[in-house]
Amino acid sequence: MSEKILVIGACGQIGSELTMKLREKYGNQNVIASDIREGNDELMNSGPFEFIDATDKASILMVIHKYGITTIYLMAAMLSATAEKQPKKAWDINMNTLLYILDFAKEKIISKIYWPSSIAVFGETTPRIDTPQQTILEPATVYGISKLAGERWCAYYHQKFGVDVRTLRYPGIISWKTPPGGGTTDYAVEIFHKALSDGKYECFLSAETTLPMMYMDDALKATLDVMDGPKFDTYIAYNVAAVSFNPKELTSEIQKHLPNFTISYKPDFRQKIADTWPQTINDSLARKEWSWKHEYETSDLVSVMLENLK
Ligand code: AKB
């Protein structure tokens, strides 16, 4: 049976580019985009689209039956900063939808799931440099708690019911096509827009706040690679890493292209979130087990971002 894919949350930062990549690979008609709002023209015009509220189990099931969906990429989520403002709503979106999808797979209505986790599963008590795959997981944010709980649910459904679910722990994702929304790492995208439009940027994190980051193309490659591989014997939410930098270092890279660009710092509540997250990630397991390798270094992603946003 050929794969029929449903992307839930297809109009968000990762969802929109992931949908286009999947359409390229599996054919436009085999990848159904869905979200609560319309996406960009490219996404809306290149293949099927359905309005789905990710918390509405019945409408997800209806779309699964309508298209004969075999695989779901569940990209709808409330990210770290927004989730702190609406904890219960964040839990509902980040957790209940996952449980619906896991149940659909348990009941053999669908056969495969991609569900992303995040570096937010780590917390203050986790080693922040070269953070291992297996380590202390005591997240301090609602988003992090939901991602950690989600990982454990995925492991449970995999082990108890044989559900084929795969997960990567994304770092901050840098891209230019669709803006991110509500994340702590979002400064590293906003900065490019402001550098080009205003020549200056007021950063909500302090100069020295180092966080793991990845260019979108690398994130998509990792996602497709982990989905292409054989089913896991044991469920693992893989650490994946590319680069790490702080706002000061990113500014210096941008200044190589825009020498007059200036940055000022006004840390807000997001600083506290960033302070609990790792600075660098050890992803040797992903590199060993499915040959994960990033391509974009910081200087590459800065060039690509400025080039495309110009
Ligand atoms: C966020 O900042 O909340 C996200 C993430 C690291 O998962 N980008």
Side-chain angles (χ1 to χ4, degrees), residues 17-36:
E17 295 204 39
L18 177 64
T19 302
M20 294 313 298
K21 259 268 172 299
L22 290 168
R23 283 185 174 162
E24 221 174 82
K25 185 167 173 186
Y26 294 97
N28 289 351
Q29 296 310 313
N30 293 323
V31 181
I32 290 75
S34 75
D35 210 307
I36 40 167

Side-chain angles (χ1 to χ4, degrees), residues 121-146:
V121 293
F122 303 116
E124 260 175 332
T125 47
T126 309
R128 298 189 67 206
I129 311 283
D130 204 30
T131 303
Q133 176 68 47
Q134 283 181 310
T135 183
I136 301 166
L137 299 173
E138 294 179 336
T141 61
V142 175
Y143 176 63
I145 294 168
S146 69

Side-chain angles (χ1 to χ4, degrees), residues 90-280:
W91 181 259
D92 192 22
I93 293 173
N94 294 356
M95 200 80 301
N96 291 342
T97 316
L98 172 64
L99 289 170
Y100 300 151
I101 309 292
L102 287 169
D103 275 336
F104 293 149
K106 177 188 162 194
E107 290 155 19
K108 310 253 182 288
I109 298 169
I110 57 166
S111 51
K112 200 168 167 185
I113 301 168
Y114 177 75
W115 178 77
S117 186
S118 157
I119 54 164
V121 293
F122 303 116
E124 260 175 332
T125 47
T126 309
R128 298 189 67 206
I129 311 283
D130 204 30
T131 303
Q133 176 68 47
Q134 283 181 310
T135 183
I136 301 166
L137 299 173
E138 294 179 336
T141 61
V142 175
Y143 176 63
I145 294 168
S146 69
K147 286 297 179 191
L148 177 55
E151 286 187 8
R152 299 326 306 152
W153 275 117
C154 290
Y156 184 83
Y157 272 71
H158 181 279
Q159 195 189 351
K160 289 256 168 191
F161 311 117
V163 167
D164 186 356
V165 52
R166 306 174 189 209
T167 296
L168 302 177
R169 289 175 177 156
Y170 288 136
I173 306 295
I174 316 285
S175 68
W176 54 271
K177 284 194 181 160
T178 310
T184 302
T185 57
D186 290 9
Y187 93 85
V189 176
E190 275 175 21
I191 194 171
F192 291 101
H193 290 268
K194 291 286 181 189
L196 288 164
S197 64
D198 302 355
K200 61 181 183 183
Y201 177 60
E202 186 178 84
C203 187
F204 58 76
L205 298 182
S206 68
E208 316 285 343
T209 308
T210 300
L211 289 169
M213 302 279 181
M214 185 181 285
Y215 186 58
M216 178 64 86
D217 289 20
D218 278 335
L220 297 179
K221 184 170 154 303
T223 307
L224 265 55
D225 282 357
V226 82
M227 284 299 272
D228 278 349
K231 188 179 170 189
F232 300 163
D233 291 334
T234 309
Y235 169 84
I236 295 170
Y238 283 96
N239 281 4
V240 281
V243 296
S244 279
F245 53 73
N246 63 37
K248 196 169 144 197
E249 289 160 347
L250 183 57
T251 299
S252 310
E253 276 302 328
I254 294 174
Q255 284 166 339
K256 288 182 188 163
H257 302 258
L258 303 169
N260 296 328
F261 171 61
T262 58
I263 187 161
S264 55
Y265 299 96
K266 198 175 172 198
D268 65 15
F269 72 100
R270 288 168 280 195
Q271 183 67 47
K272 279 211 174 75
I273 299 177
D275 286 342
T276 69
W277 287 355
Q279 297 188 351
T280 57

Side-chain angles (χ1 to χ4, degrees), residues 35-70:
D35 210 307
I36 40 167
R37 61 191 158 102
E38 286 193 5
N40 57 36
D41 288 348
E42 192 189 28
L43 182 113
M44 298 305 289
N45 298 332
S46 58
F49 178 87
E50 295 282 344
F51 283 105
I52 290 185
D53 172 348
T55 59
D56 180 2
K57 189 177 180 182
S59 66
I60 302 173
L61 193 56
M62 202 265 291
V63 171
I64 292 175
H65 287 315
K66 178 170 169 188
Y67 293 93
I69 299 296
T70 58

